[in-house]
Amino acid sequence: MEKLRQITGLDAGAVADVAHMFDVLAEPTRLQILQALANGPLCVGDLVATLDAKQANISKQLGVLHAAKLVDRERDGLQVRYFISEPMIFELCSLVCGKLRRDAEARVAAMPAPSRARKR
Amino acid sequence: MEKLRQITGLDAGAVADVAHMFDVLAEPTRLQILQALANGPLCVGDLVATLDAKQANISKQLGVLHAAKLVDRERDGLQVRYFISEPMIFELCSLVCGKLRRDAEARVAAMPAPSRARKR
DNA sequence: TTCGTATATGACTATATCGCCGTATAGCAA
DNA sequence: TTGCTATACGGCGATATAGTCATATACGAA
């Protein structure tokens, strides 16, 4: 892997950091939270209602997103308002969505003509 | 979550697909494989030597990358040559690296002056 | 202070998967 | 065919974590 570092210029630590960031984005619940926050700040209770998930889980996943510095928060009385602090995540999701769309289209194009007409 | 779909236009299935793609990128070994392939096609044995990992593990991770359509392969006699089939992954990694760099710089700037001089 | 609400945290179970080992398969040579 | 090499595959142990419950903490009201 020393050989790899010479090639890529990235040491094992940097690779691990990148992997961890992708890991944070690799959970559907966390992605849904980010999507919900895309339209503006929301407090924990709003997210619990919007995603109909348990409060404890939402809070825990918000903690992960916050530790990764993808969201930030501010207290407002009893509530805590969360908001996106890293707009880059939308570019990331957009790139991935584009790839998934291309893959789906390629699958359709690869289908034999008769079934291509029937499916979906 | 029906509410969420109305807001974001993404249903639960699409979110799961995006999450899975991030999950594929969330393993250091797979990232290292992609980095190694950035300079051109390599066969399994080359990757085993470059990353000094076990052949079984490299092969398994290549299977995951191939299933996700991030790499493609072609047989060449006894060997199988793998190569990047989705250049988008470099944009993804670049965005993440930029974010990590900004975070690191912010941490340095937030350090009290005396220790800022000492650390790293 | 005490009470009620909003959020965070600790412990737990269930599930997933990384990396390893052993072995199976694919292809070439003889 | 047999033998050799490169790669893929199935099972296993160890580790990690999502989601849940119960509880703790933070804040405001009275």
Side-chain angles (χ1 to χ4, degrees):
Chain A
M1 53 178 78
E2 172 55 24
K3 203 168 172 185
L4 180 67
R5 195 202 58 73
Q6 292 169 6
I7 296 173
T8 66
L10 285 180
D11 60 18
V15 171
D17 290 344
V18 175
H20 177 256
M21 184 60 58
F22 282 129
D23 211 15
V24 171
L25 295 169
E27 293 301 330
T29 301
R30 288 196 285 268
L31 281 182
Q32 289 177 333
I33 290 174
L34 293 173
Q35 294 281 353
L37 292 179
N39 303 298
L42 291 174
C43 68
V44 180
D46 297 331
L47 288 165
V48 171
T50 303
L51 308 181
D52 69 82
K54 304 288 181 183
Q55 179 270 326
N57 194 30
I58 295 290
S59 185
K60 185 174 294 190
Q61 305 308 336
L62 281 168
V64 174
L65 292 170
H66 184 256
K69 295 186 188 299
L70 293 178
V71 305
D72 208 346
R73 60 182 147 193
E74 56 189 25
R75 255 210 182 272
D76 179 21
L78 277 183
Q79 319 195 36
V80 177
R81 210 167 325 118
Y82 280 83
F83 52 95
I84 303 280
S85 64
E86 184 55 78
M88 164 215 67
I89 58 178
F90 298 117
E91 290 184 65
L92 287 182
C93 290
S94 174
L95 283 168
V96 172
C97 285
K99 185 245 190 311
L100 293 173
R101 190 165 29 73
R102 289 193 301 277
D103 287 352
E105 287 166 2
R107 267 196 304 279
V108 172
M111 283 169 26
S115 87
R116 194 187 315 170
R118 278 188 274 106
K119 295 231 173 176
R120 198 184 317 268
Chain B
M1 54 178 78
E2 175 54 23
K3 204 168 170 184
L4 179 66
R5 195 203 56 75
Q6 292 169 5
I7 295 174
T8 64
L10 285 180
D11 61 18
V15 171
D17 289 344
V18 175
H20 177 255
M21 185 59 58
F22 282 130
D23 211 16
V24 170
L25 295 169
E27 293 300 330
T29 301
R30 288 195 285 268
L31 282 182
Q32 289 177 333
I33 290 174
L34 293 174
Q35 295 281 353
L37 292 179
N39 304 297
L42 291 175
C43 67
V44 180
D46 297 331
L47 288 165
V48 171
T50 303
L51 308 180
D52 67 79
K54 303 289 179 183
Q55 179 269 329
N57 194 32
I58 295 291
S59 184
K60 185 177 294 189
Q61 306 308 336
L62 281 169
V64 174
L65 293 170
H66 184 257
K69 296 187 188 297
L70 294 178
V71 305
D72 207 346
R73 62 182 145 192
E74 55 189 25
R75 253 207 183 274
D76 180 21
L78 277 183
Q79 319 195 33
V80 177
R81 212 169 323 117
Y82 281 84
F83 52 95
I84 304 279
S85 64
E86 185 55 78
M88 166 215 66
I89 59 179
F90 298 118
E91 289 184 65
L92 287 183
C93 290
S94 174
L95 283 169
V96 171
C97 285
K99 185 246 188 312
L100 293 174
R101 191 165 26 75
R102 289 193 301 276
D103 287 352
E105 286 166 2
R107 266 197 304 279
V108 172
M111 281 168 29
S115 88
R116 194 184 314 169
R118 276 188 275 108
K119 295 230 173 175
R120 197 186 317 269

